Amino acid sequence: MTMHLKPILRYQLRDYLTSGAVLFLVNVLLFAAAFVGLISFGTSDSEVSITSYGFTCAIFLFVFGIVVPRQSMRIGVQLGVCRRTTFLGSLLSTAIAALALAAAGELLLTLLQVMTASLPNLYVGDLYAMLYQDMATLTPGQHLISLLFSSCLMLFCWTAGCFFTFLFWRLNKIGCVIAGISIPVVLNVVPALLYYYSRPLAPLVSFLNLLATRAAASPWFAMALFLVIGGIIALICWLLVRNANIRGTSLK
């Protein structure tokens, strides 16, 4: 397993890290444009907030969770690598990529905060700082917590994307249509049902409110929640793909 895991891991990491580097450079350019624009054209009433890096990376890994695992499974089958090893390689490569993106984000955040210390109208932060530290300058320990928080969120988003790609992979055409219609319906109907039927569903509503309150109060609880839900989704993904009809693909 270890012999096959290493090439699969290298293959997937190459895609993740190359695309992640491009994403990082795009964010740097956008932040630089906001910085220059505020200095050149801003007024005393102008305010600019830079808080989008972590969210952008989470969406990036969600999209990669939709695109990459299916391709990796096909290539793994063609190379004679078992599905378990390929799936484990996908998880490990995603975790490494998430940590690398989060670490790069913390370095960028620190650099931007130093550069913009004399600009009171420019607020620089990320998801952790925005949710738990009120956009304050972070200590080294808080940067570490922010790195872990962003990594857990990215990994959770990847498992969500992976679930959708494997679900639609297993369904026939009619099932894909039904699932495609059901997903937005569920996302819109379930919150409405929880609101309008809050009394008969009081235990469930109370439990969800408790989870949301605890997650909003503690980044450690939020990270644990991301990992637990992501782990459950990853298990479902494995159950979906372990018996799927997989054909090989051409190697570049």
Side-chain angles (χ1 to χ4, degrees):
M1 179 176 176
T2 303
M3 179 180 65
H4 290 153
L5 180 61
K6 290 181 179 179
I8 285 291
L9 188 60
R10 286 198 300 267
Y11 168 77
Q12 294 183 84
L13 271 177
R14 181 184 61 188
D15 289 339
Y16 278 104
L17 296 181
T18 301
S19 302
V22 174
L23 177 69
F24 179 77
L25 290 176
V26 169
N27 276 276
V28 170
L29 292 176
L30 291 175
F31 295 163
F35 179 72
V36 173
L38 183 63
I39 294 177
S40 303
F41 308 107
T43 64
S44 59
D45 297 328
S46 300
E47 290 187 357
V48 177
S49 297
I50 299 176
T51 58
S52 61
Y53 179 82
F55 181 76
T56 302
C57 292
I59 297 300
F60 163 78
L61 283 183
F62 173 76
V63 174
F64 256 58
I66 295 175
V67 176
V68 175
R70 184 184 297 192
Q71 177 185 1
S72 299
M73 280 291 172
R74 287 173 171 166
I75 292 176
V77 167
Q78 186 167 339
L79 294 176
V81 181
C82 69
R83 303 180 188 202
R84 183 178 60 182
T85 300
T86 304
F87 187 73
L88 179 59
S90 296
L91 281 173
L92 291 176
S93 59
T94 303
I96 294 172
L99 287 170
L101 286 170
E106 294 306 314
L107 292 175
L108 178 62
L109 173 62
T110 302
L111 179 61
L112 287 173
Q113 287 180 338
V114 171
M115 293 175 59
T116 60
S118 60
L119 297 175
N121 295 340
L122 182 60
Y123 300 93
V124 180
D126 207 354
L127 288 174
Y128 169 79
M130 182 172 60
L131 293 174
Y132 300 104
Q133 297 298 327
D134 196 24
M135 299 297 289
T137 301
L138 303 182
T139 64
Q142 290 170 339
H143 274 293
L144 178 60
I145 299 174
S146 178
L147 185 153
L148 295 175
F149 179 83
S150 297
S151 300
C152 292
L153 175 60
M154 294 178 205
L155 192 57
F156 165 74
C157 289
W158 179 86
T159 60
C162 190
F163 167 76
F164 286 118
T165 193
F166 287 154
L167 174 65
F168 284 96
W169 201 4
R170 291 299 305 269
L171 296 175
N172 56 26
K173 291 183 179 179
I174 297 176
C176 289
V177 172
I178 295 174
I181 296 174
S182 301
I183 290 171
V185 171
V186 169
L187 292 177
N188 286 278
V189 171
V190 170
L193 290 176
L194 291 176
Y195 177 78
Y196 287 110
Y197 296 97
S198 57
R199 289 187 177 180
L201 297 175
L204 177 60
V205 173
S206 298
F207 177 69
L208 294 176
N209 285 335
L210 176 63
L211 291 181
T213 302
R214 292 286 301 276
S218 170
W220 296 106
F221 186 87
M223 284 186 272
L225 198 60
F226 289 144
L227 292 177
V228 169
I229 298 176
I232 294 172
I233 297 174
L235 177 60
I236 295 173
C237 290
W238 167 244
L239 295 176
L240 286 171
V241 78
R242 67 174 181 171
N243 293 321
N245 183 21
I246 302 175
R247 297 179 180 178
T249 185
S250 59
L251 295 174
K252 295 182 179 180

